Amino acid sequence: MRREGSPWTGLWAVFFKEMADHLTGLRMRILEGLILLSALAAVYTGTQTLRQTVGEDPYLYLKLLTTAQDPLPSFVGFLSFFVPLAAIALAFDAVNGEYARGTLSRILSQPIYRDALLFGKFLAGLGTLAVLLLALFLLVVGLGLFTLGVPPGGEEMARAFLFLLATLAYAGVWLALGLLFSVLFRQPATAALAAIGVWLFFAVFFPILTDLAASALLLQADPFDPESQLRQANLALWISRLSPNTLYAETLTAVLNPAVRSLGPILITQLEGAVLGTPLPLGQSLLLVWPQLTGLFALFILLFTLAYVAFQRQEVRA
Amino acid sequence: MAVIETRGLTKRYGRVVAVEGLNLEVHEGEVFGLLGPNGSGKTTTILMLLGLTEPTSGEARVLGLDPMREPLKVKAKVGYLPDQVGFYGELTAWENLRYTSRLLGLPEAEAKARIEEVLRRMGLWEVRDRKVSAFSRGMRQRLGLAEVLLKRPKVAILDEPTLGLDPEAAREFLELIKGLKAEGITVLLSSHLLHQVQEVCDRVGLFHKGRLALLGTVEELAQKVLGGGYEILVEAGPGLEAAFGELEGVARVEAEAGRYRVLASRDLRSELARVAVERGALFGLALRRPSLDEVYAHYFKEVAHAA
């Protein structure tokens, strides 16, 4: 049955309201504080290390983002840890919270479709994260200008923006997951726990499992046949790429380190004529991570679609 | 003209029937009451009228529009106050209505004027900058009605509007509902607080297990269920039971030591008085409109007996 009227009616009203809620909410303040502190710490140690080598590296700012010094991880390491948490924190009570407050039927009785509510909430979460990431990034670059005293290059900035885009896609995956759980579970606490459970699984247990799988696969390979070993190694890599964390990590590796030429096993014959250690142009790096980026986007569209379908089928009454 | 019309409207959740074969007509400008115990299908009916739940079969027309096909047009003209209406507690009353006005797509200046108008009308203008989390149940309910009026609706659907209000707040709220009627807004309200419904509704429909069991004015229902639309209390000499019972239009006479309770299909006060005076003495005579409570209790007793 065809319905009349645009599903986008009211989208921007929802978007701005939710965005304002996020930006003024206590939850976001806490997250901002946490992320800011850790980013500052990471950048501080990064600059301490880099100061000694300024002038030797054409991609100084990318190094600033990725340099780690024990016991602190790099800025990028911090982000990949906090971004999923922030995304989940923004989305886990998006829909069930409306049920709990008794506002859902009131909002849906206004002349809007459910589509507008869900899209608006999702876009507001993504927008909030984008603002947060951009602010953080500019802060880091600004600090870098102060402490290193070298202006960033054009390609460096292009790579950095690509990094932001990839981070946003990664955040989108967790935002969509949080949204899905907020539709599926009536209790916000259950939804939050479930989403954090999934995040923990991919952050902690999945790498262990893939390691186990990889060694098991390697045992199956014929020790005297390099080709079968390569096949098994590729299979293990493929399995590990089922996790959004792997996809994101690989994207970052290639985008932030121009010297990276391959994200998998590579044969010595393929390196013939290559000058090792020379940086790839941006376009080539982008080509390298294209599948990973596509995978991230696909995953987030899939999760969002699931949330969308589940929400459309849900009864309005609590 | 029928503002709300349903034909064979049915909703099933799996094997559970929520509403079955509902045929209903609500006329322009009337206050119609949906009555029935909890879980008898009142809210489901309302949600189907708003296009928020898809009927299993049958059809509904609200203001001549199909709520399944043109829900936006229906929802633009129909105000809905859900039961246990909720607001965003961290926002003020004004901000909550501002959000609604944005969802309605009202232009800025118009929205501000309308918000002020409805807040003043509901007596909430003084507390417009207070967070809704600090509001009492009665204030929330009035804010809900303010939101309904923000739309300038042709139809207002109110689901259990007085539930959980203290008697004073409930009385005030009923006055507000009467105000809607005076303005020409058609009101559909669901409730199980019968004396309140009786006070404001022109017609009522009694729901039982998803079906519309009875429909009509309170007098008509009393006629149907109690066998008499008028209840007359007579205090007179003893032994008049049979004489009263012979009068035309009397459905039932209950006697108890000189006090008689006569159920009749019309106002028989003068006839009863004459009979009483002819045969003895008349001490008192009073007409009582039958209460919906009685109709309701009687009907469900009958249903339980029949089952």
Side-chain angles (χ1 to χ4, degrees):
Chain A
M1 183 158 43
R2 259 193 83 80
R3 294 185 179 219
E4 289 175 20
S6 159
W8 309 113
T9 317
L11 172 69
W12 295 113
V14 176
F15 173 79
F16 285 118
K17 189 255 172 197
E18 293 291 326
M19 188 107 171
D21 278 1
H22 287 328
L23 291 178
T24 55
L26 186 62
R27 197 187 296 171
M28 204 57 212
R29 297 265 167 81
I30 295 172
L31 278 170
E32 276 166 6
L34 267 177
I35 296 178
L36 190 68
L37 275 181
S38 43
L40 285 180
V43 169
Y44 175 74
T45 53
T47 48
Q48 293 303 312
T49 324
L50 284 178
R51 257 191 191 162
Q52 289 127 38
T53 55
V54 170
E56 292 167 19
D57 198 320
Y59 294 104
L60 202 58
Y61 282 86
L62 298 186
K63 278 272 155 46
L64 181 62
L65 298 176
T66 49
T67 305
Q69 192 185 45
D70 274 336
L72 285 175
S74 64
F75 177 68
V76 166
F78 266 123
L79 267 195
S80 44
F81 181 78
F82 273 124
V83 158
L85 277 184
I88 289 171
L90 286 183
F92 77 91
D93 65 346
V95 172
N96 47 22
E98 300 272 349
Y99 270 109
R101 279 178 289 187
T103 45
L104 190 70
S105 51
R106 191 172 61 79
I107 295 303
L108 289 182
S109 75
Q110 306 306 325
I112 60 162
Y113 278 115
R114 294 182 189 199
D115 310 47
L117 191 69
L118 203 68
F119 276 117
K121 277 178 179 286
F122 184 77
L123 287 180
L126 215 54
T128 309
L129 288 169
V131 167
L132 183 69
L133 283 174
L134 197 66
L136 256 182
F137 170 73
L138 291 177
L139 189 75
V140 167
V141 173
L143 278 176
L145 274 175
F146 266 121
T147 48
L148 298 175
V150 186
E155 180 165 334
E156 225 175 343
M157 283 297 103
R159 281 178 182 274
F161 273 112
L162 202 58
F163 151 71
L164 282 185
L165 189 73
T167 309
L168 209 56
Y170 182 58
V173 170
W174 294 105
L175 202 62
L177 184 83
L179 206 60
L180 175 64
F181 284 172
S182 88
V183 173
L184 293 182
F185 301 112
R186 271 301 152 82
Q187 296 297 327
T190 317
L193 265 181
I196 288 179
V198 172
W199 172 71
L200 265 184
F201 172 76
F202 280 117
V204 178
F205 300 110
F206 193 77
I208 302 174
L209 288 179
T210 48
D211 279 353
L212 283 177
S215 44
L217 283 171
L218 217 55
L219 279 180
Q220 280 189 352
D222 183 351
F224 300 107
D225 178 11
E227 247 185 69
S228 100
Q229 282 181 343
L230 182 66
R231 243 195 334 268
Q232 299 296 356
N234 273 329
L235 189 59
L237 194 63
W238 189 86
I239 292 172
S240 79
R241 279 180 183 153
L242 290 177
S243 154
N245 294 22
T246 315
L247 294 179
Y248 178 60
E250 286 188 342
T251 309
L252 290 194
T253 313
V255 167
L256 292 179
N257 187 352
V260 169
R261 286 159 177 265
S262 163
L263 294 168
I266 197 163
L267 294 180
I268 195 79
T269 49
Q270 289 173 307
L271 283 174
E272 217 174 76
V275 184
L276 284 181
T278 47
L280 286 181
L282 176 61
Q284 293 301 310
S285 288
L286 188 59
L287 218 53
L288 194 60
V289 297
W290 198 253
Q292 274 79 2
L293 271 181
T294 316
L296 277 180
F297 274 103
L299 190 58
F300 115 60
I301 290 171
L302 178 74
L303 285 171
F304 183 78
T305 310
L306 286 177
Y308 178 82
V309 171
F311 184 51
Q312 291 287 347
R313 288 165 179 262
Q314 210 159 41
E315 286 298 328
V316 171
R317 63 196 306 183
Chain B
M1 188 197 119
V3 168
I4 297 173
E5 207 181 343
T6 70
R7 250 168 286 138
L9 200 63
T10 300
K11 176 73 184 179
R12 292 194 193 89
Y13 293 106
R15 289 175 59 203
V16 182
V17 178
V19 175
E20 192 165 17
L22 179 68
N23 294 309
L24 186 70
E25 251 185 48
V26 179
H27 306 296
E28 191 169 355
E30 78 173 334
V31 179
F32 189 92
L34 290 178
L35 308 180
N38 295 331
S40 59
K42 290 171 292 174
T43 303
T44 308
T45 304
I46 289 173
L47 292 179
M48 283 193 282
L49 291 177
L50 287 162
L52 293 178
T53 283
E54 211 162 329
T56 313
S57 65
E59 58 178 70
R61 287 281 178 282
V62 178
L63 297 162
L65 300 165
D66 182 347
M68 283 324 290
R69 287 177 68 90
E70 296 166 293
L72 297 195
K73 280 187 197 161
V74 169
K75 288 192 280 186
K77 290 176 187 158
V78 179
Y80 172 47
L81 178 68
D83 55 341
Q84 325 223 319
V85 61
F87 286 92
Y88 299 106
E90 70 280 5
L91 300 183
T92 66
W94 195 87
E95 286 167 339
N96 266 295
L97 291 190
R98 188 75 189 92
Y99 182 37
T100 307
S101 74
R102 289 210 174 99
L103 290 175
L104 285 170
L106 295 178
E108 186 86 10
E110 161 112 38
K112 281 185 177 157
R114 278 203 206 179
I115 291 172
E116 177 168 354
E117 178 200 318
V118 295
L119 280 178
R120 280 190 193 282
R121 185 162 164 197
M122 291 298 130
L124 292 170
W125 182 247
E126 278 68 38
V127 292
R128 64 185 179 277
D129 290 328
R130 225 192 275 171
K131 294 212 159 114
V132 175
S133 53
F135 274 26
S136 70
R137 175 109 178 87
M139 287 160 90
R140 267 168 222 250
Q141 210 67 17
R142 272 186 286 155
L143 187 57
L145 198 56
E147 193 203 50
V148 167
L149 290 177
L150 193 61
K151 230 180 235 185
R152 302 239 164 107
K154 292 211 167 63
V155 182
I157 298 182
L158 316 174
D159 199 352
E160 302 281 2
T162 52
L163 191 69
L165 296 185
D166 60 67
E168 179 59 17
R171 201 189 52 72
E172 274 174 26
F173 204 79
L174 289 178
E175 287 305 315
L176 294 172
I177 294 174
K178 283 182 194 163
L180 299 188
K181 179 182 153 73
E183 237 174 86
I185 298 174
T186 309
V187 180
L188 180 72
L189 78 92
S190 94
S191 182
H192 53 239
L193 298 172
L194 302 167
H195 56 283
Q196 296 179 351
V197 173
Q198 184 166 19
E199 197 180 318
V200 294
C201 288
D202 299 320
R203 288 196 305 148
V204 295
L206 188 62
F207 270 72
H208 180 57
K209 289 186 178 162
R211 287 175 172 278
L212 191 64
L214 294 167
L215 178 73
T217 62
V218 175
E219 281 77 16
E220 283 167 9
L221 294 197
Q223 182 84 45
K224 234 180 269 176
V225 175
L226 304 175
Y230 293 84
E231 184 185 358
I232 302 153
L233 300 174
V234 189
E235 283 179 62
L240 294 176
E241 198 174 342
F244 285 158
E246 277 164 19
L247 285 171
E248 196 192 324
V250 170
R252 210 161 74 223
V253 182
E254 288 167 20
E256 193 190 315
R259 298 164 70 94
Y260 303 87
R261 185 166 162 266
V262 181
L263 286 169
S265 57
R266 57 201 174 87
D267 188 355
L268 284 174
R269 269 180 297 183
S270 56
E271 285 88 340
L272 288 169
R274 198 178 313 121
V275 171
V277 172
E278 275 170 13
R279 312 221 171 165
L282 176 67
F283 306 115
L285 188 63
L287 176 70
R288 221 178 56 161
R289 277 161 59 92
S291 83
L292 206 47
D293 274 306
E294 257 168 281
V295 174
Y296 191 86
H298 200 83
Y299 177 76
F300 283 106
K301 215 194 287 173
E302 269 179 18
V303 170
H305 268 296

